[in-house]
Amino acid sequence: MSSFESGIPGLDELLLSSGDLDGFPQNTTTLVYGPPKVGKSIFSYEFAYHGLNIKEPCLYITADEGMRQLQQNMMDFGWFLQSSMDEELLYVIDPISALSGANIENTNTYTLSKINDPTDLMVKVGLGTRFVFKKSNEFRSVFDSLTTFFTFNPEAMVVRFLKTYLRRLTEAGATGIVNYTEGVVNEKTERILKSIVDNVIMLDGSYLTFKSNQGLIATAPYQITDKGLVLGRGEIL
């Protein structure tokens, strides 16, 4: 199976040791979940930035923080987005900045949406998907995160949105990740979230555990450094 390099130091090597993968399975979706402050957003930054560095387009939904904060957070790790936006490799959907009343204009690679309007967000996803697909039929996608989306919308509506979103990405050829903070919704909804993706990654602050729907389970310790998440020596379970 073809793979997408995750960009997380140590993760691709760990998956390669399984003999089947050397990164995320191409054209699959992965749920990255865990408690707050364990590195889920940093994981997203690394995944997206690594792809942009090797000229893989990315559709990025920044639902927890606005565009300016996203750029600042990535700059803290030395990851700069402007050149990728100038090259139109990165398309950002920002459903949160409008809440603050900030005067921000849409551009060719950046569009506002509404966190409490899944229909509008899906329209913007459609536009963004077509934009990056024109660059390449193999692209990355990030949704960071579902947590804020759940805050503004009923759980059942978010699940319906997510199923449609994932189906659209799969049809377009994307390899994507979706972030979620554990414990925000009830256990039944969390089980649904894990069941409608191809892979899950659990971050607990000390260990990263990867599970694929093909039965692969791998785990490794990790640290958050000034270069992002870095895995230590792991093992296939």
Side-chain angles (χ1 to χ4, degrees), residues 11-21 210 215-220 233-237:
L11 179 55
D12 295 337
E13 293 83 353
L14 173 62
L15 297 178
L16 180 61
S17 68
S18 71
D20 296 323
L21 300 170
F210 175 94
L216 172 63
I217 303 177
T219 188
R233 186 179 179 85
E235 60 179 333
I236 304 298
L237 303 179

Side-chain angles (χ1 to χ4, degrees), residues 8 39-52 60 62 65 69-71 73-74 77 79 81 142 144 177 179:
I8 314 299
K40 300 185 295 297
S41 289
I42 298 171
F43 189 103
S44 297
Y45 304 156
E46 286 182 272
F47 176 74
Y49 189 71
H50 180 73
L52 294 170
Y60 201 111
T62 177
E65 54 202 7
Q69 189 61 52
L70 171 66
Q71 289 179 297
N73 289 350
M74 294 186 74
F77 292 97
W79 305 327
L81 296 178
V142 172
D144 184 28
I177 61 174
N179 283 357

Side-chain angles (χ1 to χ4, degrees), residues 10-201:
L11 179 55
D12 295 337
E13 293 83 353
L14 173 62
L15 297 178
L16 180 61
S17 68
S18 71
D20 296 323
L21 300 170
D22 56 0
F24 286 165
Q26 189 172 348
N27 197 203
T28 63
T29 54
T30 300
L31 181 72
V32 180
Y33 74 98
K37 309 296 184 184
V38 294
K40 300 185 295 297
S41 289
I42 298 171
F43 189 103
S44 297
Y45 304 156
E46 286 182 272
F47 176 74
Y49 189 71
H50 180 73
L52 294 170
N53 260 348
I54 54 177
K55 306 302 180 185
E56 290 174 353
C58 182
L59 171 66
Y60 201 111
I61 301 176
T62 177
D64 285 357
E65 54 202 7
M67 182 64 193
R68 292 172 183 168
Q69 189 61 52
L70 171 66
Q71 289 179 297
Q72 182 59 56
N73 289 350
M74 294 186 74
M75 285 171 58
D76 290 343
F77 292 97
W79 305 327
F80 298 89
L81 296 178
Q82 191 58 52
S83 61
S84 296
M85 298 191 76
D86 292 342
E87 293 180 69
E88 298 190 338
L89 291 171
L90 176 64
Y91 190 98
V92 177
I93 301 174
D94 178 356
I96 198 71
S97 288
L99 289 179
S100 67
N103 185 20
I104 305 173
E105 294 184 357
N106 294 331
T107 69
N108 286 342
T109 56
Y110 170 81
T111 185
L112 293 163
S113 183
K114 301 173 183 175
I115 193 72
N116 58 350
D117 188 344
T119 300
D120 180 76
L121 182 54
M122 187 53 69
V123 170
K124 302 297 174 57
V125 167
L127 294 172
T129 302
R130 285 193 289 275
F131 186 91
V132 293
F133 184 82
K134 288 179 181 177
K135 298 292 180 181
S136 173
N137 59 4
E138 296 178 358
F139 62 92
R140 297 177 183 231
S141 69
V142 172
F143 193 141
D144 184 28
S145 72
L146 280 181
T147 310
T148 307
F149 205 37
F150 275 119
T151 303
F152 286 89
N153 300 282
E155 290 185 15
M157 181 180 292
V158 174
V159 171
R160 288 198 298 274
F161 169 89
L162 183 61
K163 289 179 177 177
T164 304
Y165 169 72
L166 296 177
R167 185 169 62 250
R168 181 161 294 183
L169 292 180
T170 300
E171 290 171 351
T175 300
I177 61 174
V178 177
N179 283 357
Y180 165 72
T181 299
E182 194 173 27
V184 169
V185 297
N186 64 51
E187 292 183 2
K188 179 181 178 182
T189 301
E190 288 194 346
R191 286 196 296 272
I192 293 172
L193 296 181
K194 295 172 186 176
S195 70
I196 61 178
V197 295
D198 300 297
N199 319 293
V200 295
I201 286 179

